[in-house]
């Protein structure tokens, strides 16, 4: 059941949403400071499409946007128009690694997610909905904008920001956790979250294939790493989440793996890496990209893998908030298979999430689409 190899690696598009004053721009500027050599493209508030060099422009974002009257991206353009802006940022010559859509404070996240999922641009892939919450003003925000509960239920990742200003931060965290359903939840001050939670940062050493398996606890700090810290000291960004690296020399059973993916726990935000399905497809390994409920597989010929041709490994990295890494590792171990022959229909679940050779998306773009 071999499949065609996909085209160039797709650029994740992250939707950054939250009500006015929640700290979206602060968070984006923090990502720019912390992303090392990763190049971030942005479509900001009033949909000015700009290229951002992550090494140079943090803090200059507002001066680089094009302002529209209503400032609401989901009302101002449709999916085809959004594709025009994505095209400008996703051209190979730009060298952009990730695109962030910073939504207006009054935008409708559900519509923005649908626009990204409806994109016909082959060079991009949905990278998740990040909802930023102002912990200090959360009760007042809910009173003025009751739709915030619905927004949180749609999110893949919720950043509970400004916890340092909230007198009852633990209560707010608990309330948001109840409202956010399956989302991973990360507490933050001054918008400081680890970029590795959202996208792969360019490592200082050579990547393994298309994915860096660097230790998630090794990041470059330096003097510029603390510019957005008013207290002048470095905070441990990794304390907000957990990670698990899984490597197997034994192929995985596709049915068992899909069972694992279908039942993955709350807080498991990202899964990335490569899967060997053994006799189910001897020609290809499968790159996997999952963020929140979104899932996609990309078959890649083993013949094109750099390194020992006989070393066919499954390599996965799982990132989440409040996850039980030991339990997840045990579940993945149970996905291993030593069967010498393939189940005739075993790959059907996986192939639902493989992009067709003609560029059409999988039948199921998310494991549970946003409600109508």
């Amino acid at each position: 059941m071999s499949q065609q190899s996909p085209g160039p690696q797709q650029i994740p598009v992250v939707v950054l949403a939250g009500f006015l004053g929640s700290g979206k721009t602060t968070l984006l500027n923090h990502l720019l400071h912390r992303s090392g050599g990763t190049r971030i493209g942005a479509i900001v508030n009033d949909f000015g499409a700009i290229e951002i060099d992550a090494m140079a422009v943090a803090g200059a974002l507002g001066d680089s946007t094009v302002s529209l009257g209503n400032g609401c991206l989901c009302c101002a353009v449709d999916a085809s128009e959004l594709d025009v802006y994505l095209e400008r940022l996703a051209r190979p010559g730009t060298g952009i690694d990730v695109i962030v859509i910073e939504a207006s404070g009054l935008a409708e996240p559900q519509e923005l997610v649908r626009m990204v999922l409806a994109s016909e641009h082959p060079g991009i892939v949905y990278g998740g909905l990040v909802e930023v919450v102002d912990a200090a003003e959360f009760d007042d925000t809910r009173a003025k904008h009751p739709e915030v509960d619905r927004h949180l239920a749609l999110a893949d990742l919720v950043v509970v920001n400004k916890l340092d200003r909230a007198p009852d931060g633990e209560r707010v965290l608990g309330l948001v956790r109840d409202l956010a359903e399956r989302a991973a939840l990360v507490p933050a001050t001054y918008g400081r979250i680890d970029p590795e939670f959202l996208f792969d940062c360019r490592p200082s050493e050579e990547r393994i294939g298309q994915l860096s398996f660097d230790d998630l606890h090794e990041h470059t700090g330096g003097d510029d790493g603390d510019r957005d810290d008013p207290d002048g000291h470095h905070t441990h960004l990794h304390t907000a989440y957990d990670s698990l690296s899984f490597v197997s020399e034994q192929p995985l059973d596709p049915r068992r793996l899909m069972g694992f993916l279908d039942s993955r726990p709350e807080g498991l935000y990202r899964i990335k890496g490569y899967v060997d399905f053994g006799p189910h497809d001897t020609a290809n390994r499968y790159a996997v990209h999952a963020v929140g409920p979104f899932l996609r597989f990309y078959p890649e010929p083993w013949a094109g893998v750099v390194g020992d041709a006989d070393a066919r490994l499954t390599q996965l990295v799982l990132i989440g908030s409040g996850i039980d890494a030991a339990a997840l590792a045990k579940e993945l171990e149970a996905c291993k298979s030593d069967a010498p022959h393939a189940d005739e229909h075993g790959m059907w679940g996986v192939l639902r999430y493989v992009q067709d050779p003609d560029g059409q998306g999988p039948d199921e773009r998310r494991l549970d689409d946003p409600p109508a």
Side-chain angles (χ1 to χ4, degrees):
M1 301 185 67
S2 298
Q3 300 290 311
Q4 295 295 319
S5 176
Q9 184 76 4
Q10 292 177 304
I11 299 172
V13 178
V14 177
V15 177
L16 180 61
F19 284 93
L20 295 169
S22 59
K24 298 186 300 295
T25 300
T26 300
L27 189 153
L28 181 54
N29 279 332
H30 167 74
L31 294 179
L32 295 173
H33 281 307
R34 284 284 176 181
S35 61
T38 301
R39 293 177 65 84
I40 302 175
I43 302 174
V44 183
N45 281 332
D46 301 322
F47 78 78
I50 58 175
E51 175 187 344
I52 297 175
D53 185 337
M55 297 297 289
V57 301
L61 203 56
D63 296 334
S64 303
T65 61
V66 177
S67 179
L68 289 186
N70 62 11
C72 186
L73 177 61
C74 61
C75 299
V77 302
D78 59 22
S80 62
E81 290 175 292
L82 179 62
D83 271 354
V84 174
Y85 295 99
L86 293 175
E87 168 63 28
R88 288 171 55 181
L89 296 171
R91 291 172 184 166
T94 66
I96 283 176
D97 301 298
V98 61
I99 296 172
V100 177
I101 298 178
E102 185 196 341
S104 159
L106 300 177
E108 178 52 61
Q110 177 177 333
E111 294 307 313
L112 293 176
V113 170
R114 283 180 169 167
M115 289 165 67
V116 175
L117 291 175
S119 172
E120 297 182 356
H121 194 293
I124 65 99
V125 65
Y126 178 64
L129 169 61
V130 180
E131 183 79 13
V132 184
V133 168
D134 182 342
E137 301 292 334
F138 185 63
D139 291 332
D140 288 343
T141 300
R142 289 186 77 202
K144 295 176 183 177
H145 304 283
E147 62 269 30
V148 70
D149 291 7
R150 177 168 49 83
H151 294 180
L152 288 170
L154 292 169
D156 300 306
L157 171 68
V158 177
V159 178
V160 184
N161 197 29
K162 304 185 184 180
L163 272 173
D164 57 312
R165 303 181 191 176
D168 53 353
E170 287 302 319
R171 180 190 66 84
V172 174
L173 282 172
L175 180 55
V176 173
R177 186 173 288 108
D178 290 340
L179 294 169
E181 297 185 350
R182 291 185 57 184
L185 188 148
V186 176
T189 57
Y190 307 104
R192 291 191 298 255
I193 67 171
D194 198 307
E196 196 76 41
F197 216 150
L198 303 181
F199 51 83
D200 292 333
C201 295
R202 286 184 178 175
S204 56
E205 60 240 31
E206 185 178 356
R207 294 189 184 204
I208 303 174
Q210 294 175 319
L211 180 67
S212 169
F213 287 98
D214 292 346
D215 183 353
L216 292 174
H217 293 268
E218 293 179 0
H219 290 272
T220 55
D223 294 337
D224 64 341
D226 296 326
R227 285 184 204 153
D228 54 353
D229 187 347
D231 299 324
H233 62 274
H234 178 66
T235 55
H236 296 283
L237 301 173
H238 299 279
T239 58
Y241 70 86
D242 305 292
S243 65
L244 166 67
S245 296
F246 176 80
V247 179
S248 174
E249 297 181 357
Q250 194 170 321
L252 301 192
D253 179 87
R255 291 183 185 273
R256 296 176 193 170
L257 181 63
M258 288 309 303
F260 169 82
L261 293 173
D262 286 341
S263 62
R264 59 191 189 271
E266 297 178 6
L268 180 52
Y269 176 65
R270 294 184 70 206
I271 302 176
K272 56 184 182 177
Y274 302 99
V275 181
D276 173 21
F277 288 119
H280 289 86
D281 189 343
T282 58
N284 295 307
R285 67 176 182 177
Y286 283 71
V288 58
H289 167 76
V291 55
F294 179 87
L295 174 66
R296 189 166 293 177
F297 286 97
Y298 303 88
E300 301 179 355
W302 283 109
V305 177
V306 178
D308 186 353
D310 295 327
R312 298 197 171 194
L313 302 176
T314 290
Q315 298 174 297
L316 296 173
V317 173
L318 287 68
I319 303 173
S321 174
I323 60 175
D324 186 339
L328 292 174
K330 185 176 181 179
E331 291 182 43
L332 284 172
E333 286 287 337
C335 293
K336 293 181 178 180
S337 173
D338 57 3
H341 304 293
D343 173 0
E344 181 181 358
H345 304 302
M347 287 290 285
W348 281 11
V350 171
L351 296 179
R352 290 175 60 200
Y353 297 96
V354 172
Q355 189 164 0
D356 294 335
D358 61 2
Q360 298 298 314
D363 292 336
E364 300 291 335
R365 295 194 177 192
R366 302 184 76 184
L367 294 181
D368 50 356
D369 291 329

